[in-house]
Amino acid sequence: MNDNGKLIDGREVSKTILEEVSEDVAVFCRSHRPPHLVVVIVGDNPASRSYVRGKVKAAKKCGIDSTLLELPPDVSSDELLSRIDEFNGDSSIDGILVQLPLPGHIDQQDVIERISPSKDVDGFHPYNMGRLVADKPVLVSCTPLGIMELLSRYSGETAGKRAVVIGRSSIVGTPMALLLARKHEGGDATVTICHSRSEDIASVTAEADIIIAAVGRAGTVTGDMVKEGAVVIDVGINRVDDPNSKKGYRLVGDVDFESVLPKASLITPVPGGVGPMTIAMLMRNTLAAAGWAGRSEDEVP
Ligand code: GUN
């Protein structure tokens, strides 16, 4: 196999999933109004703006209605929370996503916890995180969910395999480790979480069949740390200066692609690997949230 055959094409898989979601939305719309996603962005961070545009565009492609609320960078926390309250109480809205990061004067966790768990299409609310721990997920964080989808479509059995997740964030690392370890199709792996206080990460990754790099630091995983034949998933999106590029920078992941490629059996590129999957899973979560709108009170808090 040449090295191109090792690439996991997240754009292609994402396209397939968006087509699947479009078909499901069409069926759903025979008996319901279209699902409706609200995306909130605070401030003008260019990367966040670009992600949000991608989410709105994908929604349109799937037949999902979307509303984009753009708030100024100095919006008060109270104002943002009261807008979320309005969306929570609006039965024409199924999903609410507040793009992160938020400006420093707003407590991110307060915002996450304000979103009704049944509309939390990001899967960040502690209720949904708790459901994942209990192995009864409702809405699961989109990036780890997208990675599970890539592993199931590209890689073989995960049961009994050694997986290392580098990064312990509540958005990616922690749910990722839970999904890989749970007693479930696509899970059943032996999982280690490494983080900023871990010693000798290389000795852990050297034993791993699956490496998930999610720390947000370029060059975290290099070829010498990787076992021959490992599957390497790169969640990082880091800007590095590149005077040869028109923009003056280029995007790289947490994995040193050049040195890891010859060792890996499968690897996600950056861009075009994990990134597009996050959006595809968001669309799936939005449809699921719309479908759950009629569930009984004791199931939805
Ligand atoms: N910022 C970067 N990734 C994400 C995401 O998946 N959801 C939200 N809400 N903000 C993000």
Side-chain angles (χ1 to χ4, degrees):
M1 188 204 291
N2 70 25
D3 280 350
N4 284 341
K6 297 177 169 186
L7 290 184
I8 294 180
D9 188 343
R11 285 200 183 105
E12 196 55 41
V13 179
S14 157
K15 218 172 114 200
T16 307
I17 292 174
L18 289 177
E19 281 162 12
E20 288 167 7
V21 174
S22 302
E23 287 164 18
D24 293 346
V25 167
V27 172
F28 180 78
C29 286
R30 286 185 204 146
S31 50
H32 299 83
R33 60 162 174 73
H36 183 184
L37 171 68
V38 169
V39 179
V40 182
I41 181 164
V42 180
D44 41 25
N45 177 318
S48 292
R49 288 202 156 269
S50 152
Y51 295 142
V52 161
R53 270 197 304 276
K55 289 169 187 180
V56 169
K57 207 168 129 194
K60 190 158 188 215
K61 220 185 243 175
C62 294
I64 292 174
D65 288 344
S66 67
T67 301
L68 176 61
L69 173 63
E70 299 175 274
L71 295 171
D74 59 352
V75 70
S76 71
S77 181
D78 282 350
E79 168 71 12
L80 175 58
L81 293 173
S82 84
R83 300 305 285 265
I84 293 172
D85 289 341
E86 273 171 40
F87 299 142
N88 283 339
D90 184 338
S91 62
S92 73
I93 291 168
D94 305 298
I96 305 167
L97 178 146
V98 178
Q99 186 66 25
L100 305 178
L102 290 166
H105 66 281
I106 299 175
D107 186 316
Q108 215 152 270
Q109 194 59 26
D110 282 352
V111 171
I112 288 170
E113 294 192 22
R114 194 65 160 246
I115 297 170
S116 163
S118 61
K119 298 191 179 188
D120 168 38
V121 284
D122 260 326
F124 294 167
H125 192 286
Y127 173 84
N128 286 320
M129 297 282 290
R131 295 276 300 185
L132 179 59
V133 171
D135 200 15
K136 302 237 174 300
V138 179
L139 294 164
V140 176
S141 179
C142 301
T143 299
L145 210 53
I147 293 169
M148 294 303 282
E149 197 70 40
L150 289 178
L151 290 174
S152 93
R153 291 187 191 221
Y154 272 89
S155 173
E157 188 65 79
T158 48
K161 295 280 167 61
R162 286 182 183 235
V164 176
V165 180
I166 311 174
R168 57 181 159 182
S169 73
S170 53
I171 290 173
V172 181
T174 300
M176 187 74 247
L178 289 166
L179 287 170
L180 283 166
R182 71 187 173 138
K183 194 172 177 177
H184 207 273
E185 179 83 27
D188 286 320
T190 304
V191 183
T192 306
I193 300 179
C194 292
H195 46 74
S196 54
R197 300 297 300 270
S198 297
E199 289 180 5
D200 196 6
I201 292 178
S203 71
V204 184
T205 55
E207 306 245 298
D209 304 300
I210 300 165
I211 298 173
I212 316 273
V215 273
R217 202 181 59 240
T220 299
V221 178
T222 49
D224 54 317
M225 297 167 69
V226 175
K227 184 169 87 169
E228 196 73 47
V231 175
V232 180
I233 305 289
D234 192 351
V235 185
I237 306 178
N238 309 294
R239 284 185 181 195
V240 295
D241 292 340
D242 182 358
N244 295 325
S245 143
K246 238 197 303 185
K247 291 178 179 163
Y249 68 87
R250 69 195 156 87
L251 295 179
V252 299
D254 293 350
V255 172
D256 179 43
F257 188 82
E258 300 305 321
S259 66
V260 172
L261 181 64
K263 301 282 281 294
S265 62
L266 286 167
I267 185 168
T268 56
V270 175
V274 172
M277 293 301 294
T278 301
I279 293 187
M281 303 323 283
L282 173 67
M283 297 305 124
R284 231 195 223 173
N285 276 354
T286 303
L287 176 58
W292 287 325
R295 282 190 317 132
S296 64
E297 280 306 316
D298 58 335
E299 284 177 88
V300 182

